[in-house]
Amino acid sequence: MRMKRTGGRVVHSPLSFAFSMEETGGSWIQKYNTVNSEFVPDRTLTPYGLRPHLYITDPDGNVPSGDYATSMINVVWTVTLVSDGKETQLTEGTDYTLKDDHTLLLGSNVTPGNLVRLEFRGDYNNALRNEVSHFTWQKECVTENETSTNLILELQCDSKMNFSPFKTYGDDQQFPIVAVLRNGTADLGDKAAYKWQVFDWDQKAWTDIIPENNLWYVSGKDTGRIIVNVDFIQRVALRVTAWLKTDTSQQESASTLLRRWYGQWEDNYEFAYAQYIFTTTKHAKAVAKVVNRQGNITDPQRYFDIELFYRENADAEWKSLGNGTEKDIDRDKMEGNHELGGICREKSAYVPILLADGTVLTDSDGNPIVGQFPTSEKEFD
């Protein structure tokens, strides 16, 4: 009798990446003295330096924690001058230089009205897991006339942020979003006032944040640093408006979209045993699994609404076995060509539970009771 074989593989926990760009010198914004025809700072004397950092943490301990920026591959810096709508690639060695640790030194001054766009691209190859992670970064360098006031509101996050339900964010899933109002390069600090608002999708308008209605809100709606709880975010658009406390006539605004994002995943259903029915078969066991790029998702019912279905043959109607990832099937329900199926739906962020009259269900202290619900309808073949 020939040996029967089966294979297996090692499933590693996903690496945790923290990519950032360090300013090593100079400034991304310049002032131009129209009287003396001087740039401050003058990049021919003080280049604007940027050094990438890629901090990696491995839950399994196979990859030592640390900065792996110098181990990145396919690193490309693109430096583009934008003038009157025309883009021109600047020259390495003349306008900027690159160091072995991927640091960029920009030595070109930017005349007022123009800008220089800096773009970074790089990959990290995880040979152990056979995965390649991609990282990008972009910033625009501008120049202002020193004789004019130029308020710039910098929102220190992407215009669209995806929060994965499989990841942990800070303490108690609390995530900060920071806005900084500058006058040129100078942070205005406590001279600036801030106000955050949320977009009402029904009214199609920006509205004030009301903590008891916006459960994702933690603190900071009237400061430059708002904190949100990602467990309560399904799809939230935020806008921050900032101005000088001494002059409300000039206001700057910026917005970002926050959303719950599962990425790619796939659900599978199988008989743990009794796929084939014999006279000695007493019962069968149905099992549901959900996988993504990192492998099997542990305890998938935390993130998905999973309902198992069974039918005795291809002509029979599907019967629900109930919600869960494992269900037993009695022998008296089984026939020769039985089939197993399932419906797997993403769970929403936590939302208040509403009563029939539209009021929010609360506990004895008046706090809203929340729950998670499927984000799509059931679909049958």
Side-chain angles (χ1 to χ4, degrees), residues 73-366:
I73 61 175
N74 304 324
V75 173
V76 176
W77 277 100
T78 303
V79 183
T80 307
L81 172 66
V82 182
S83 177
D84 295 328
K86 181 181 178 181
E87 298 188 357
T88 304
Q89 300 296 315
L90 298 186
T91 305
E92 180 180 355
T94 302
D95 302 302
Y96 66 93
T97 58
L98 299 177
K99 300 175 68 175
D100 292 339
D101 61 355
H102 307 314
T103 294
L104 178 140
L105 297 175
L106 178 63
S108 177
N109 293 317
V110 183
T111 58
N114 298 339
L115 64 86
V116 169
R117 184 170 61 244
L118 308 176
E119 297 172 281
F120 174 89
R121 300 194 310 273
D123 301 331
Y124 177 77
N125 181 32
N126 181 357
L128 180 63
R129 294 167 172 81
N130 194 28
E131 295 176 350
V132 177
S133 300
H134 309 284
F135 301 90
T136 60
W137 183 90
Q138 177 177 306
K139 195 173 190 68
E140 293 180 346
C141 299
V142 297
T143 300
E144 64 179 13
N145 290 323
E146 195 171 24
T147 55
S148 64
T149 299
N150 185 17
L151 294 183
I152 299 174
L153 179 60
E154 180 183 1
L155 188 57
Q156 297 179 348
C157 69
D158 295 333
S159 59
K160 181 184 294 183
M161 301 187 65
N162 295 329
F163 292 105
S164 169
F166 311 118
K167 293 183 179 180
T168 300
Y169 297 90
D171 296 331
D172 298 325
Q173 295 294 80
Q174 295 184 6
F175 188 86
I177 302 173
V178 178
V180 179
L181 184 65
R182 305 178 188 275
N183 185 17
T185 59
D187 185 344
L188 292 175
D190 59 5
K191 297 178 181 179
Y194 299 87
K195 181 177 182 179
W196 295 83
Q197 292 179 300
V198 60
F199 190 77
D200 188 311
W201 302 102
D202 295 325
Q203 299 181 25
K204 300 188 184 314
W206 294 101
T207 60
D208 292 342
I209 296 172
I210 303 175
E212 52 267 30
N213 295 340
N214 305 120
L215 300 184
W216 47 264
Y217 171 75
V218 178
S219 63
K221 62 185 179 68
D222 295 315
T223 72
R225 185 175 186 267
I226 192 171
I227 298 178
V228 301
N229 189 319
V230 301
D231 282 344
F232 291 83
I233 289 177
Q234 185 67 32
R235 182 168 174 255
V236 175
L238 289 178
R239 180 180 71 175
V240 59
T241 302
W243 60 91
L244 275 169
K245 293 179 179 178
T246 56
D247 181 12
T248 61
S249 62
Q250 185 178 354
Q251 298 185 356
E252 300 293 326
S253 296
S255 61
T256 182
L257 175 65
L258 317 178
R259 63 175 182 169
R260 185 177 177 90
W261 181 249
Y262 276 73
Q264 294 182 337
W265 55 270
E266 182 179 2
D267 53 324
N268 299 298
Y269 306 92
E270 60 187 33
F271 289 99
Y273 51 82
Q275 179 177 1
Y276 302 102
I277 303 172
F278 301 95
T279 56
T280 57
T281 301
K282 295 182 179 181
H283 59 93
K285 186 175 184 179
V287 175
K289 294 181 180 180
V290 186
V291 298
N292 58 16
R293 290 186 298 176
Q294 284 72 45
N296 283 332
I297 297 174
T298 303
D299 194 12
Q301 282 189 281
R302 289 181 57 190
Y303 318 104
F304 300 92
D305 180 90
I306 303 172
E307 186 174 0
L308 289 164
F309 291 85
Y310 176 82
R311 63 181 177 183
E312 295 82 359
N313 54 66
D315 297 324
E317 291 187 0
W318 287 106
K319 298 181 180 64
S320 175
L321 298 175
N323 288 75
T325 56
E326 295 184 3
K327 294 293 179 181
D328 287 330
I329 305 169
D330 294 334
R331 176 65 177 85
D332 58 4
K333 297 180 180 179
M334 296 189 295
E335 294 184 9
N337 295 318
H338 62 167
E339 294 182 351
L340 175 65
I343 296 178
C344 183
R345 298 178 290 170
E346 296 176 359
K347 284 185 178 180
S348 69
Y350 286 105
V351 295
I353 298 176
L354 301 180
L355 298 175
D357 60 359
T359 60
V360 176
L361 181 64
T362 60
D363 60 19
S364 57
D365 295 325

